[in-house]
Amino acid sequence: PDAISYNVIGEIKGSHFPEEVILVGGHLDSWDVGFGAMDDGGGVFISLQVCSMLKRLNIRPLRTVRCVGWTSEEMGSQGSRRYWADHAGELEDFSVVFESDGGVFDTSGIGLSASLEAHAIVRRIAPLLGTVGGSFVSARGGGAEIAGAIMANVPGGTIHTSANNVY
């Protein structure tokens, strides 16, 4: 039956533009408590690694980097729907939103739902990600948790993995 659950949110405040947010996230829930539910915890792990690496490398980002572990994606995305309802008046503050929902498998690139100008910037940076298999940039990015932000014209993306290589 339905029960109360919570999103898990952490962030590193930006040094110059703290009101501008770069969001990375994944979802915490799963249909299966056994092996193979990699899209769930895997996306949260990847997102936590963003903040962890910034801290370890002693990098203070210009903008706030927010990591969100959404609850209840598999059961109707209640966690992300509540998150975006709570932040509806702040969408102009989000620089970009990323969701990882393809597991922690081999990467092939980034899917990006954004303007042509944003694609041009990411395509210039993408070759630097070649050593981790991320140099390909496709025009389709996002997922259930960030779809509302993307529909409101916030640039959004996802990591393409061997589990979701659909271009």
Side-chain angles (χ1 to χ4, degrees):
D2 287 346
I4 294 174
S5 186
Y6 299 92
N7 294 324
V8 177
I9 303 169
E11 67 181 28
I12 299 173
K13 282 285 186 198
S15 61
H16 287 79
F17 310 105
E19 70 286 348
E20 295 181 23
V21 178
I22 296 170
L23 184 142
V24 293
H27 60 98
L28 294 166
D29 62 318
S30 177
W31 283 106
D32 183 356
V33 296
F35 296 104
M38 287 302 301
D39 72 314
D40 302 315
V44 174
F45 175 77
I46 290 167
S47 301
L48 288 172
Q49 281 297 103
V50 172
C51 289
S52 176
M53 292 301 292
L54 289 170
K55 286 295 221 181
R56 233 180 293 154
L57 295 171
N58 200 27
I59 297 172
R60 179 109 186 259
L62 298 177
R63 289 164 181 77
T64 295
V65 175
R66 183 175 299 155
C67 176
V68 180
W70 286 288
T71 188
S72 194
E73 187 255 17
E74 301 289 359
M75 282 45 120
S77 295
Q78 289 90 338
S80 63
R81 287 193 322 220
R82 177 60 185 258
Y83 178 88
W84 293 113
D86 289 349
H87 296 275
E90 304 165 24
L91 285 173
E92 67 278 353
D93 295 335
F94 287 84
S95 299
V96 66
V97 294
F98 266 91
E99 174 181 355
S100 178
D101 193 14
V104 292
F105 305 100
D106 291 338
T107 58
S108 61
I110 298 169
L112 187 64
S113 294
S115 68
L116 293 175
E117 180 183 15
H119 268 271
I121 292 168
V122 172
R123 288 183 199 285
R124 285 196 308 267
I125 297 168
L128 300 173
L129 302 174
T131 59
V132 294
S135 61
F136 179 78
V137 180
S138 76
R140 290 182 12 201
E145 309 313 322
I146 61 172
I150 291 172
M151 288 174 36
N153 294 319
V154 176
T158 193
I159 301 168
H160 287 305
T161 68
S162 56
N164 66 359
N165 281 339
V166 179
Y167 309 118

